[in-house]
Amino acid sequence: SEAEDIIKRYEKRKQLPPDRYCYLNAATYMSEQEKERAILRLIRKTQLEPLSNKKLLEIGCGTGINLLNFIKMGFQPENLFANDILSEE
C-alpha cells in the first residue's frame, strides 16, 4: 500500500548521516531557503494574500518545522493543520 511505501522511505532516512537535515549543514540550509522561495513565488502567483485568513493543511509534516515558516510568512497558527504518518516524527 502507499502508506507502507511511505514508511519504508522513512526507514531509509535512518541510514543517512545524522547531520543530513541539520541547518548547520550548508546544503540543507540552502535547499530549505530554495523551498521557501518556491512557496513564496507560488503564494504570489496564485494571489493567496492576505495569508492571515487562509487555512493550510500540511500532509507529512514531520517535526513541524514548515509550520514555523508558514507563520513567518503570515499564516495564523490557529489556521494551520498538519499530520504525519509516523507518530515519532
Side-chain angles (χ1 to χ4, degrees):
S1 75
E2 186 174 349
E4 289 169 343
D5 290 342
I6 292 169
I7 291 169
K8 286 178 187 175
R9 286 194 293 273
Y10 272 101
E11 283 298 315
K12 285 183 181 180
R13 286 184 181 182
K14 292 179 181 177
Q15 299 170 6
L16 296 172
D19 72 338
R20 172 58 184 92
Y21 294 108
C22 175
Y23 264 54
L24 297 177
N25 178 337
T28 298
Y29 189 73
M30 291 170 53
S31 69
E32 288 297 314
Q33 286 181 325
E34 178 54 34
K35 180 175 65 176
E36 285 181 37
R37 285 192 295 272
I39 291 169
L40 290 170
R41 281 192 301 269
L42 179 64
I43 288 169
R44 288 186 196 108
K45 182 179 178 180
T46 56
Q47 300 176 342
L48 287 177
E49 297 173 276
L51 300 177
S52 60
N53 65 349
K54 300 297 188 295
K55 293 183 179 180
L56 184 134
L57 169 63
E58 182 182 8
I59 306 292
C61 65
T63 61
I65 192 72
N66 290 327
L67 298 173
L68 295 173
N69 292 332
F70 291 133
I71 292 169
K72 285 191 315 188
M73 292 175 190
F75 287 92
Q76 295 301 305
E78 61 270 17
N79 290 335
L80 295 176
F81 306 89
N83 76 359
D84 199 277
I85 196 166
L86 299 179
S87 60
E88 69 265 12
E89 289 287 334

